[in-house]
Amino acid sequence: MKKIVLLIFISVLFLVSCATNEEDNRLTSESSQDITKISSNTPIDQSFTNKVKEEVLNREDIKGVRGVNTKDELLLAIEVEEIKQFNEQDIEKEIKKTLEKKYPNKNFKISSDQKIFIELDDLEKKIQNNKVDKKELEKKYKNIKKLLDDPA
Amino acid sequence: MVFVWSFLVGGLICVIGQIMLDIFKLTPGHTLTTLVISGAILSGFGLYDKLIDFAGAGASVPITSFGNSLVQGAMQEAEKHGIIGVVTGMFEITSSGISSAIIFGVLGAILFKPKG
Amino acid sequence: MSNNKKKNLTPTQQDYQSFAKDREVKRPVVKNCIRAFIVGGSICTIGQAISTFYMHFFKFTEQNVANPTVATLIFITMLLTGFGVYDHFAQFAGAGTAVPVTGFGNAVISAAIEHRTEGFVLGVGGNMFKLAGSVIAFGTFSAFVIALIKTLLIQWGVL
Protein backbone atom coordinates (compact mmCIF):
# COMPACT_ATOMS: atom_id res chain seq x y z
CA MET A 1 0.00 0.00 0.00
CA LYS A 2 2.76 2.43 0.96
CA LYS A 3 4.43 1.87 -2.42
CA ILE A 4 1.23 2.76 -4.25
CA VAL A 5 0.78 5.96 -2.21
CA LEU A 6 4.41 6.91 -2.90
CA LEU A 7 3.91 6.22 -6.60
CA ILE A 8 0.80 8.39 -6.76
CA PHE A 9 2.57 11.18 -4.85
CA ILE A 10 5.56 11.12 -7.21
CA SER A 11 3.35 11.17 -10.31
CA VAL A 12 1.41 14.17 -8.97
CA LEU A 13 4.68 15.98 -8.26
CA PHE A 14 5.82 15.15 -11.78
CA LEU A 15 2.63 16.51 -13.31
CA VAL A 16 2.83 19.72 -11.26
CA SER A 17 6.38 20.31 -12.41
CA CYS A 18 5.26 19.75 -16.00
CA ALA A 19 2.69 22.47 -15.46
CA THR A 20 5.26 25.05 -14.39
CA ASN A 21 7.23 24.50 -17.58
CA GLU A 22 4.10 25.32 -19.54
CA GLU A 23 3.62 28.49 -17.51
CA ASP A 24 7.11 29.80 -18.31
CA ASN A 25 6.24 29.56 -21.96
CA ARG A 26 3.13 31.63 -21.49
CA LEU A 27 4.82 34.36 -19.45
CA THR A 28 6.82 35.28 -22.51
CA SER A 29 3.63 36.64 -24.06
CA GLU A 30 5.37 40.00 -24.09
CA SER A 31 7.97 38.69 -26.50
CA SER A 32 5.35 36.95 -28.62
CA GLN A 33 3.85 40.38 -29.19
CA ASP A 34 7.20 41.47 -30.60
CA ILE A 35 7.27 38.47 -32.87
CA THR A 36 3.91 39.19 -34.44
CA LYS A 37 4.64 42.86 -35.02
CA ILE A 38 6.12 41.99 -38.41
CA SER A 39 3.57 43.40 -40.77
CA SER A 40 5.48 43.85 -43.96
CA ASN A 41 5.14 40.43 -45.56
CA THR A 42 2.01 39.02 -43.95
CA PRO A 43 -0.89 38.23 -46.29
CA ILE A 44 -3.27 40.30 -44.14
CA ASP A 45 -1.92 43.20 -42.10
CA GLN A 46 -1.87 42.31 -38.39
CA SER A 47 -1.03 45.74 -36.99
CA PHE A 48 -4.57 46.28 -35.72
CA THR A 49 -4.35 43.02 -33.78
CA ASN A 50 -1.00 44.04 -32.31
CA LYS A 51 -2.51 47.30 -31.07
CA VAL A 52 -5.52 45.59 -29.52
CA LYS A 53 -3.32 42.92 -27.90
CA GLU A 54 -1.25 45.59 -26.18
CA GLU A 55 -4.40 47.26 -24.86
CA VAL A 56 -5.81 44.00 -23.52
CA LEU A 57 -2.50 43.00 -21.89
CA ASN A 58 -2.58 46.26 -19.95
CA ARG A 59 -5.39 44.84 -17.85
CA GLU A 60 -4.18 43.47 -14.54
CA ASP A 61 -6.12 40.23 -14.74
CA ILE A 62 -4.88 39.17 -18.20
CA LYS A 63 -1.77 37.01 -18.33
CA GLY A 64 -1.48 36.39 -22.10
CA VAL A 65 -3.12 37.25 -25.39
CA ARG A 66 -3.05 35.73 -28.88
CA GLY A 67 -4.93 37.10 -31.85
CA VAL A 68 -5.35 37.14 -35.59
CA ASN A 69 -7.43 39.48 -37.74
CA THR A 70 -8.94 39.31 -41.19
CA LYS A 71 -10.19 42.39 -43.04
CA ASP A 72 -13.05 43.36 -40.69
CA GLU A 73 -12.91 40.77 -37.97
CA LEU A 74 -10.61 40.11 -35.04
CA LEU A 75 -10.33 36.82 -33.16
CA LEU A 76 -8.70 37.09 -29.76
CA ALA A 77 -7.81 34.47 -27.17
CA ILE A 78 -7.12 35.61 -23.65
CA GLU A 79 -5.46 33.82 -20.78
CA VAL A 80 -6.72 35.01 -17.43
CA GLU A 81 -4.73 34.95 -14.19
CA GLU A 82 -5.10 31.77 -12.14
CA ILE A 83 -7.37 32.84 -9.30
CA LYS A 84 -9.40 35.15 -11.52
CA GLN A 85 -10.19 32.22 -13.84
CA PHE A 86 -13.32 31.75 -11.77
CA ASN A 87 -14.74 34.79 -13.55
CA GLU A 88 -13.05 34.30 -16.90
CA GLN A 89 -16.31 34.25 -18.86
CA ASP A 90 -17.38 37.59 -17.33
CA ILE A 91 -13.94 39.09 -18.06
CA GLU A 92 -14.27 37.85 -21.65
CA LYS A 93 -17.64 39.64 -22.05
CA GLU A 94 -16.25 42.82 -20.44
CA ILE A 95 -13.30 42.95 -22.83
CA LYS A 96 -15.59 42.38 -25.82
CA LYS A 97 -17.87 45.25 -24.74
CA THR A 98 -14.92 47.61 -24.19
CA LEU A 99 -13.39 46.80 -27.57
CA GLU A 100 -16.70 47.07 -29.42
CA LYS A 101 -17.31 50.48 -27.90
CA LYS A 102 -13.84 51.68 -28.81
CA TYR A 103 -13.80 50.33 -32.38
CA PRO A 104 -17.43 50.24 -33.48
CA ASN A 105 -16.76 49.39 -37.11
CA LYS A 106 -14.95 46.13 -36.40
CA ASN A 107 -16.25 42.72 -35.42
CA PHE A 108 -14.72 41.09 -32.34
CA LYS A 109 -14.74 37.50 -31.17
CA ILE A 110 -13.10 36.92 -27.81
CA SER A 111 -12.53 33.60 -26.12
CA SER A 112 -11.01 32.57 -22.79
CA ASP A 113 -10.84 28.96 -23.98
CA GLN A 114 -7.44 27.32 -23.77
CA LYS A 115 -7.90 25.47 -27.07
CA ILE A 116 -8.50 28.72 -28.98
CA PHE A 117 -5.36 30.11 -27.35
CA ILE A 118 -3.33 27.12 -28.51
CA GLU A 119 -4.72 27.30 -32.07
CA LEU A 120 -4.15 31.05 -32.40
CA ASP A 121 -0.63 30.67 -31.02
CA ASP A 122 0.00 28.11 -33.76
CA LEU A 123 -1.50 30.34 -36.46
CA GLU A 124 0.49 33.37 -35.30
CA LYS A 125 3.75 31.39 -35.56
CA LYS A 126 2.81 30.29 -39.10
CA ILE A 127 1.99 33.87 -40.15
CA GLN A 128 5.21 35.17 -38.69
CA ASN A 129 7.25 32.53 -40.52
CA ASN A 130 5.34 33.22 -43.75
CA LYS A 131 4.13 29.68 -44.01
CA VAL A 132 0.57 30.63 -45.03
CA ASP A 133 -0.88 32.54 -47.96
CA LYS A 134 -4.03 34.67 -47.79
CA LYS A 135 -6.46 31.90 -48.70
CA GLU A 136 -4.99 29.45 -46.20
CA LEU A 137 -4.97 32.10 -43.47
CA GLU A 138 -8.67 32.77 -44.01
CA LYS A 139 -9.42 29.03 -44.03
CA LYS A 140 -7.57 28.42 -40.76
CA TYR A 141 -9.21 31.50 -39.29
CA LYS A 142 -12.64 30.13 -40.19
CA ASN A 143 -11.79 26.74 -38.66
CA ILE A 144 -10.76 28.32 -35.37
CA LYS A 145 -13.92 30.42 -35.37
CA LYS A 146 -15.97 27.23 -35.85
CA LEU A 147 -14.35 25.78 -32.73
CA LEU A 148 -15.57 28.82 -30.83
CA ASP A 149 -19.20 28.18 -31.74
CA ASP A 150 -18.92 24.43 -31.18
CA PRO A 151 -21.68 23.51 -28.72
CA ALA A 152 -20.46 21.91 -25.47
CA MET B 1 -0.95 25.63 -12.28
CA VAL B 2 -4.30 24.23 -13.27
CA PHE B 3 -2.96 20.84 -12.16
CA VAL B 4 -2.58 22.07 -8.59
CA TRP B 5 -6.11 23.47 -8.53
CA SER B 6 -7.59 20.32 -10.09
CA PHE B 7 -5.84 18.26 -7.38
CA LEU B 8 -7.10 20.51 -4.57
CA VAL B 9 -10.68 20.94 -5.75
CA GLY B 10 -11.05 17.27 -6.75
CA GLY B 11 -9.61 16.18 -3.41
CA LEU B 12 -11.91 18.54 -1.57
CA ILE B 13 -15.04 17.17 -3.24
CA CYS B 14 -13.89 13.65 -2.32
CA VAL B 15 -13.33 14.70 1.29
CA ILE B 16 -16.89 16.04 1.39
CA GLY B 17 -18.01 12.62 0.17
CA GLN B 18 -15.89 10.89 2.81
CA ILE B 19 -17.40 13.06 5.55
CA MET B 20 -20.86 12.07 4.36
CA LEU B 21 -19.85 8.41 4.61
CA ASP B 22 -18.07 8.57 7.98
CA ILE B 23 -19.75 11.29 10.02
CA PHE B 24 -23.27 11.33 8.62
CA LYS B 25 -23.09 7.55 8.12
CA LEU B 26 -24.81 7.64 4.72
CA THR B 27 -24.53 4.72 2.31
CA PRO B 28 -22.44 5.16 -0.87
CA GLY B 29 -25.68 5.30 -2.86
CA HIS B 30 -27.02 8.15 -0.71
CA THR B 31 -23.68 9.96 -0.84
CA LEU B 32 -23.35 9.87 -4.61
CA THR B 33 -26.98 10.84 -5.14
CA THR B 34 -26.60 13.80 -2.78
CA LEU B 35 -23.45 14.91 -4.60
CA VAL B 36 -25.15 14.77 -8.01
CA ILE B 37 -28.08 16.80 -6.71
CA SER B 38 -25.63 19.35 -5.21
CA GLY B 39 -23.93 19.63 -8.58
CA ALA B 40 -27.30 20.31 -10.18
CA ILE B 41 -28.11 23.00 -7.59
CA LEU B 42 -24.74 24.73 -8.03
CA SER B 43 -25.29 24.62 -11.76
CA GLY B 44 -28.68 26.26 -11.31
CA PHE B 45 -26.94 29.20 -9.64
CA GLY B 46 -24.41 29.38 -12.46
CA LEU B 47 -21.53 28.52 -10.13
CA TYR B 48 -20.46 25.09 -11.36
CA ASP B 49 -19.38 26.33 -14.79
CA LYS B 50 -17.11 28.85 -13.11
CA LEU B 51 -15.68 26.08 -10.93
CA ILE B 52 -14.86 24.10 -14.07
CA ASP B 53 -13.16 27.16 -15.60
CA PHE B 54 -11.07 27.45 -12.46
CA ALA B 55 -10.26 23.86 -11.57
CA GLY B 56 -10.56 22.07 -14.91
CA ALA B 57 -10.77 18.32 -14.39
CA GLY B 58 -10.97 18.85 -10.62
CA ALA B 59 -14.58 19.86 -11.17
CA SER B 60 -15.48 17.86 -14.28
CA VAL B 61 -14.27 14.45 -13.10
CA PRO B 62 -16.22 14.06 -9.83
CA ILE B 63 -19.76 12.77 -10.08
CA THR B 64 -21.09 16.24 -9.25
CA SER B 65 -20.43 17.24 -12.86
CA PHE B 66 -23.25 14.89 -13.93
CA GLY B 67 -25.73 17.16 -12.20
CA ASN B 68 -24.12 20.14 -13.89
CA SER B 69 -24.28 18.59 -17.40
CA LEU B 70 -27.92 17.60 -16.96
CA VAL B 71 -28.96 21.12 -15.95
CA GLN B 72 -26.80 22.73 -18.68
CA GLY B 73 -28.32 20.50 -21.34
CA ALA B 74 -31.85 21.21 -20.11
CA MET B 75 -31.25 24.98 -19.99
CA GLN B 76 -29.71 25.05 -23.48
CA GLU B 77 -32.73 23.34 -25.03
CA ALA B 78 -35.14 25.41 -22.98
CA GLU B 79 -33.59 28.58 -24.42
CA LYS B 80 -34.29 27.33 -27.91
CA HIS B 81 -37.62 25.54 -27.55
CA GLY B 82 -39.24 26.77 -24.36
CA ILE B 83 -40.34 24.63 -21.46
CA ILE B 84 -40.46 21.36 -23.41
CA GLY B 85 -36.73 21.82 -23.94
CA VAL B 86 -36.20 21.08 -20.26
CA VAL B 87 -37.24 17.47 -20.90
CA THR B 88 -35.78 16.93 -24.37
CA GLY B 89 -32.39 18.48 -23.87
CA MET B 90 -31.27 16.90 -20.65
CA PHE B 91 -29.01 14.13 -21.92
CA GLU B 92 -27.42 16.06 -24.76
CA ILE B 93 -24.24 17.02 -22.98
CA THR B 94 -24.02 14.34 -20.34
CA SER B 95 -24.10 11.37 -22.67
CA SER B 96 -20.37 10.68 -22.41
CA GLY B 97 -20.29 9.53 -18.79
CA ILE B 98 -23.37 7.35 -18.85
CA SER B 99 -22.81 5.91 -22.34
CA SER B 100 -19.20 5.01 -21.60
CA ALA B 101 -20.15 3.36 -18.32
CA ILE B 102 -22.78 1.23 -20.08
CA ILE B 103 -20.64 0.44 -23.12
CA PHE B 104 -17.58 -0.51 -21.13
CA GLY B 105 -19.78 -2.39 -18.67
CA VAL B 106 -21.09 -4.68 -21.39
CA LEU B 107 -17.62 -4.90 -22.94
CA GLY B 108 -16.15 -5.80 -19.56
CA ALA B 109 -18.76 -8.49 -19.06
CA ILE B 110 -17.78 -9.97 -22.44
CA LEU B 111 -14.03 -9.79 -21.88
CA PHE B 112 -13.52 -10.52 -18.21
CA LYS B 113 -14.38 -13.46 -15.99
CA PRO B 114 -16.00 -12.85 -12.64
CA LYS B 115 -13.69 -13.52 -9.72
CA GLY B 116 -14.78 -15.41 -6.63
CA MET C 1 -33.06 3.36 13.63
CA SER C 2 -35.02 6.60 13.80
CA ASN C 3 -38.29 4.71 14.32
CA ASN C 4 -36.77 3.10 17.43
CA LYS C 5 -36.01 6.51 18.83
CA LYS C 6 -39.60 7.58 18.48
CA LYS C 7 -41.07 4.53 20.18
CA ASN C 8 -40.90 4.41 23.95
CA LEU C 9 -38.05 2.06 24.74
CA THR C 10 -38.06 -0.04 27.86
CA PRO C 11 -35.00 0.52 30.07
CA THR C 12 -33.52 -2.82 28.93
CA GLN C 13 -33.86 -1.81 25.30
CA GLN C 14 -32.30 1.58 25.98
CA ASP C 15 -29.42 -0.17 27.74
CA TYR C 16 -28.95 -2.39 24.73
CA GLN C 17 -28.92 0.55 22.33
CA SER C 18 -26.12 2.29 24.24
CA PHE C 19 -24.25 -1.04 24.59
CA ALA C 20 -24.47 -1.62 20.83
CA LYS C 21 -23.31 1.90 20.11
CA ASP C 22 -20.27 1.46 22.35
CA ARG C 23 -19.26 -1.68 20.51
CA GLU C 24 -19.61 -0.13 17.07
CA VAL C 25 -16.38 -0.13 15.03
CA LYS C 26 -14.91 3.34 15.36
CA ARG C 27 -14.07 4.90 12.03
CA PRO C 28 -10.77 6.77 11.75
CA VAL C 29 -12.37 9.84 10.19
CA VAL C 30 -9.28 12.00 9.78
CA LYS C 31 -7.19 9.20 8.30
CA ASN C 32 -9.99 8.34 5.85
CA CYS C 33 -10.38 11.97 4.83
CA ILE C 34 -6.66 12.36 4.15
CA ARG C 35 -6.65 9.19 2.03
CA ALA C 36 -9.77 10.30 0.17
CA PHE C 37 -8.21 13.72 -0.45
CA ILE C 38 -4.97 12.34 -1.86
CA VAL C 39 -6.45 9.60 -4.03
CA GLY C 40 -9.40 11.70 -5.23
CA GLY C 41 -7.10 14.60 -6.03
CA SER C 42 -4.73 12.29 -7.90
CA ILE C 43 -7.53 10.86 -10.02
CA CYS C 44 -8.65 14.38 -10.92
CA THR C 45 -5.07 15.39 -11.72
CA ILE C 46 -4.70 12.38 -14.01
CA GLY C 47 -7.98 13.49 -15.60
CA GLN C 48 -6.50 16.97 -16.08
CA ALA C 49 -3.45 15.45 -17.79
CA ILE C 50 -5.77 13.50 -20.11
CA SER C 51 -7.78 16.68 -20.82
CA THR C 52 -4.63 18.63 -21.66
CA PHE C 53 -3.53 15.83 -23.99
CA TYR C 54 -6.86 15.87 -25.81
CA MET C 55 -6.85 19.66 -26.09
CA HIS C 56 -3.37 19.81 -27.59
CA PHE C 57 -3.61 16.95 -30.05
CA PHE C 58 -7.29 16.88 -31.02
CA LYS C 59 -10.02 19.37 -31.87
CA PHE C 60 -11.54 19.57 -28.39
CA THR C 61 -12.14 22.92 -26.68
CA GLU C 62 -12.13 23.57 -22.94
CA GLN C 63 -15.93 23.36 -23.04
CA ASN C 64 -16.25 19.86 -24.45
CA VAL C 65 -12.98 18.18 -23.46
CA ALA C 66 -14.72 16.67 -20.44
CA ASN C 67 -16.45 14.15 -22.73
CA PRO C 68 -13.42 12.24 -24.02
CA THR C 69 -11.72 12.66 -20.63
CA VAL C 70 -14.55 10.93 -18.81
CA ALA C 71 -14.75 8.23 -21.47
CA THR C 72 -11.01 7.55 -21.17
CA LEU C 73 -11.16 7.40 -17.38
CA ILE C 74 -14.04 4.91 -17.49
CA PHE C 75 -12.10 2.81 -20.01
CA ILE C 76 -9.16 2.71 -17.61
CA THR C 77 -11.61 1.81 -14.84
CA MET C 78 -12.87 -1.11 -16.93
CA LEU C 79 -9.33 -2.47 -17.21
CA LEU C 80 -8.64 -2.02 -13.50
CA THR C 81 -11.97 -3.57 -12.51
CA GLY C 82 -11.58 -6.45 -14.93
CA PHE C 83 -8.19 -7.36 -13.50
CA GLY C 84 -9.47 -7.05 -9.96
CA VAL C 85 -7.14 -4.19 -9.03
CA TYR C 86 -9.76 -1.46 -8.53
CA ASP C 87 -11.13 -3.04 -5.36
CA HIS C 88 -7.78 -2.62 -3.59
CA PHE C 89 -7.80 1.11 -4.34
CA ALA C 90 -11.41 1.41 -3.27
CA GLN C 91 -10.72 -0.33 0.04
CA PHE C 92 -7.85 2.02 0.75
CA ALA C 93 -9.33 5.28 -0.39
CA GLY C 94 -13.06 5.07 0.33
CA ALA C 95 -14.70 8.12 -1.13
CA GLY C 96 -11.50 8.99 -3.01
CA THR C 97 -12.36 6.37 -5.61
CA ALA C 98 -16.15 6.41 -5.22
CA VAL C 99 -16.80 10.10 -5.81
CA PRO C 100 -15.00 10.60 -9.14
CA VAL C 101 -16.65 9.27 -12.24
CA THR C 102 -14.40 6.21 -11.96
CA GLY C 103 -16.43 5.07 -8.97
CA PHE C 104 -19.63 5.26 -10.99
CA GLY C 105 -17.96 3.35 -13.79
CA ASN C 106 -16.67 0.72 -11.40
CA ALA C 107 -20.13 0.21 -9.89
CA VAL C 108 -21.67 -0.41 -13.30
CA ILE C 109 -18.82 -2.50 -14.71
CA SER C 110 -18.27 -4.69 -11.65
CA ALA C 111 -21.99 -5.43 -11.43
CA ALA C 112 -21.99 -6.32 -15.12
CA ILE C 113 -19.00 -8.65 -14.79
CA GLU C 114 -20.29 -10.25 -11.60
CA HIS C 115 -23.71 -11.14 -12.96
CA ARG C 116 -22.45 -12.50 -16.24
CA THR C 117 -23.02 -16.04 -15.02
CA GLU C 118 -26.74 -15.34 -14.97
CA GLY C 119 -26.72 -14.64 -18.68
CA PHE C 120 -26.36 -11.40 -20.60
CA VAL C 121 -29.92 -10.19 -20.84
CA LEU C 122 -31.14 -11.00 -17.36
CA GLY C 123 -27.85 -11.04 -15.45
CA VAL C 124 -25.74 -8.30 -16.98
CA GLY C 125 -28.53 -6.10 -18.29
CA GLY C 126 -30.79 -6.50 -15.30
CA ASN C 127 -28.20 -5.87 -12.59
CA MET C 128 -25.97 -3.22 -14.09
CA PHE C 129 -27.78 -0.32 -12.54
CA LYS C 130 -27.94 -1.36 -8.92
CA LEU C 131 -25.96 1.63 -7.65
CA ALA C 132 -25.97 3.74 -10.77
CA GLY C 133 -29.74 3.70 -10.99
CA SER C 134 -30.35 6.04 -8.08
CA VAL C 135 -27.64 8.41 -9.26
CA ILE C 136 -29.17 8.66 -12.72
CA ALA C 137 -32.77 8.73 -11.52
CA PHE C 138 -32.39 11.42 -8.88
CA GLY C 139 -29.82 13.36 -10.84
CA THR C 140 -32.22 13.59 -13.77
CA PHE C 141 -35.20 14.41 -11.58
CA SER C 142 -33.42 17.16 -9.62
CA ALA C 143 -32.01 18.61 -12.84
CA PHE C 144 -35.53 18.64 -14.25
CA VAL C 145 -36.91 20.50 -11.22
CA ILE C 146 -34.05 23.01 -11.18
CA ALA C 147 -34.16 23.68 -14.91
CA LEU C 148 -37.94 24.00 -14.82
CA ILE C 149 -37.83 26.55 -12.00
CA LYS C 150 -35.07 28.49 -13.70
CA THR C 151 -36.87 28.51 -17.07
CA LEU C 152 -40.12 29.67 -15.50
CA LEU C 153 -38.31 32.41 -13.59
CA ILE C 154 -36.64 33.58 -16.79
CA GLN C 155 -39.95 33.52 -18.66
CA TRP C 156 -41.67 35.55 -15.96
CA GLY C 157 -38.86 38.06 -16.09
CA VAL C 158 -37.61 37.52 -12.54
CA LEU C 159 -34.10 36.37 -13.56
Side-chain angles (χ1 to χ4, degrees), chain C residues 4-23:
Chain C
N4 287 339
K5 286 181 193 158
K6 288 183 186 155
K7 282 189 211 152
N8 279 326
L9 297 173
T10 67
T12 334
Q13 286 172 325
Q14 286 175 348
D15 270 345
Y16 180 73
Q17 288 293 337
S18 53
F19 174 75
K21 207 159 180 215
D22 273 341
R23 296 297 244 238

Side-chain angles (χ1 to χ4, degrees), chain A residues 55-93:
Chain A
E55 284 175 22
V56 172
L57 256 181
N58 273 335
R59 285 179 67 117
E60 253 183 38
D61 44 19
I62 302 290
K63 219 164 68 164
V65 191
R66 297 284 186 277
V68 170
N69 69 297
T70 57
K71 226 179 354 153
D72 320 293
E73 211 175 68
L74 172 54
L75 186 54
L76 214 63
I78 56 172
E79 196 190 346
V80 184
E81 263 204 2
E82 293 306 326
I83 311 264
K84 306 244 170 80
Q85 275 185 12
F86 204 71
N87 293 316
E88 73 179 15
Q89 308 236 359
D90 296 326
I91 293 178
E92 185 188 308
K93 292 195 185 117

